[in-house]
Amino acid sequence: MKKQFAAAVDVGGTNTKFGWVDSAGQLYGSGSVKTGEFSTAEDLIHRVYLELQDLINFDETEAEICGIGVGAPNANYHTGCIHHAPNLDFAKSIVPFASIFTEISGLKCRITNDANAAAIGEKIYGKARDMNDFMVVTLGTGLGSGIYTGGQVLYGSDGMAGEMGHTCLIPGGRKCGCGRLGCIERYVSIGGLTTTFLEVSEGKKGELRPRQIQALAEGGDQDAIQTYRLTGEYLGLHLSSMAALFSPEAIFLSGGLAQSGEVLLSPMRKAFEDNLLTHHKGKIKIELSGLKKQKTALLGAAALAFSSFSQ
Ligand SMILES: [Zn+2]
């Protein structure tokens, strides 16, 4: 049988990364372009496909390309479109990204949002291979979530379900990029942590990045410890509500902020356990993703292609 490959593309506000992945999750060559250099989706896709073709020489007697998987913000699995993505200049309206990719490459293409792609990656290549009910929560610039229920990704009626980041944590709280107030994404994310530290320290220690705040916390700085404690408690409390809704076997955390260590994870676990329904207590694991941080997005996008197109 021929070896199967998928092209994986991760569209981000700053960089669009791409590469080839085989069905065992091995990454063969990767590259990236600056997303902001392209004013239309057509221009971006032409360039990405050109570079993908240069990355690897397939011997068609031994290898077969099953399709293209794309992870992107505000991507709709059902329609193949990117809808009004605030951080993507080419997608201020609705852009049929998957069908443009197919037109240009002649390959089948599936698209979903980056957190759903991370969840599919966890299912195919990570720690959730034997699970049917789990969540992946990505903690970075924003807070994303991908939810598996009954062995399927939860897409909802319109293909856009699973947006835990835009569920309300604090009524009337911080203004979110989605236009609403108090979304958990404004509290449990890189920017959220920075803002909480500014509030807790009353601005006396300046605007610091999470890494600097983490170093302060590890050195015993009470403001920094309090900042991580609050952030962990917000996340743990909110995940306990998600557990009541979806009854997952496990919740996996990925993204830069998930790497903060016990200063974040310990208060998060305590708030989670304290607020779980009695019948869930002690049964739901929270762990770090089984995928390497730098590869999560591309492995997730490839897993989307394999799960959609592979025989
Ligand atoms: Zn929001």
Side-chain angles (χ1 to χ4, degrees):
M1 199 179 134
K2 290 182 184 177
K3 192 164 188 167
Q4 293 228 318
F5 288 87
V9 180
D10 169 42
V11 180
T14 309
N15 297 306
T16 293
K17 298 174 186 166
F18 47 83
W20 294 97
V21 178
D22 72 11
S23 50
Q26 179 82 26
L27 182 61
Y28 292 78
S30 59
S32 88
V33 295
K34 295 274 174 222
T35 311
E37 285 177 12
F38 304 90
S39 55
T40 67
E42 282 84 355
D43 289 349
L44 172 67
I45 291 168
H46 264 296
R47 173 73 177 281
V48 165
Y49 188 56
L50 211 63
E51 297 220 5
L52 272 167
Q53 287 171 300
D54 283 346
L55 277 178
I56 193 166
N57 264 327
F58 285 110
D59 176 349
E60 285 179 12
T61 58
E62 289 175 5
E64 182 167 77
I65 300 170
C66 93
I68 301 166
V70 180
N74 291 31
N76 186 317
Y77 175 82
H78 287 162
T79 64
C81 295
I82 298 177
H83 292 241
H84 310 284
N87 297 328
L88 302 177
D89 285 340
F90 69 82
K92 294 294 180 210
S93 58
I94 298 176
V95 177
F97 201 86
S99 62
I100 297 171
F101 222 131
T102 294
E103 239 166 65
I104 287 170
S105 66
L107 295 166
K108 288 183 256 184
C109 179
R110 266 285 153 82
I111 183 165
T112 192
N113 83 36
D114 22 12
N116 286 340
I120 300 167
E122 203 67 46
K123 172 79 178 155
I124 307 258
Y125 302 123
K127 291 180 179 171
R129 288 177 214 206
D130 300 323
M131 294 182 186
N132 288 323
D133 299 272
F134 66 94
M135 290 179 67
V136 171
V137 177
T138 60
L139 304 172
T141 314
L143 187 158
S145 62
I147 299 163
Y148 261 79
T149 170
Q152 304 287 327
V153 178
L154 179 74
Y155 286 114
S157 61
D158 64 352
M160 307 286 276
E163 291 283 358
M164 176 184 151
H166 299 290
T167 54
C168 185
L169 175 75
I170 294 178
R174 295 175 192 164
K175 174 108 185 179
C176 183
C178 73
R180 299 157 66 247
L181 297 177
C183 292
I184 190 172
E185 173 165 297
R186 294 320 324 136
Y187 296 83
V188 184
S189 61
I190 288 170
L193 190 91
T194 299
T195 306
T196 302
F197 182 70
L198 272 174
E199 287 176 4
V200 168
S201 62
E202 297 173 339
K204 289 176 189 151
K205 292 169 186 170
E207 190 173 325
L208 302 182
R209 302 284 300 161
R211 201 163 294 218
Q212 297 167 298
I213 303 170
Q214 186 181 345
L216 281 179
E218 285 163 0
D221 182 282
Q222 288 306 310
D223 290 339
I225 291 169
Q226 166 79 342
T227 297
Y228 272 99
R229 189 178 63 73
L230 279 172
T231 308
E233 286 175 357
Y234 291 150
L235 180 60
L237 174 67
H238 227 64
L239 290 178
S240 72
S241 299
M242 298 295 131
L245 279 175
F246 299 110
S247 180
E249 286 174 71
I251 298 170
F252 299 102
L253 305 179
S254 76
L257 200 59
Q259 314 300 319
S260 307
E262 285 309 306
V263 68
L264 177 76
L265 300 181
S266 169
M268 185 233 14
R269 284 202 182 93
K270 180 164 185 335
F272 180 68
E273 278 301 323
D274 286 352
N275 289 287
L276 278 178
L277 291 171
T278 308
H279 58 270
H280 282 146
K281 282 188 193 292
K283 292 183 187 158
I284 303 172
K285 292 181 282 189
I286 303 185
E287 291 185 13
L288 296 184
S289 164
L291 304 180
K292 283 213 175 71
K293 189 182 145 221
Q294 300 82 351
K295 292 185 181 172
T296 304
L298 289 183
L299 288 183
L304 171 68
F306 283 119
S307 63
S308 303
F309 305 129
S310 179
Q311 285 84 32

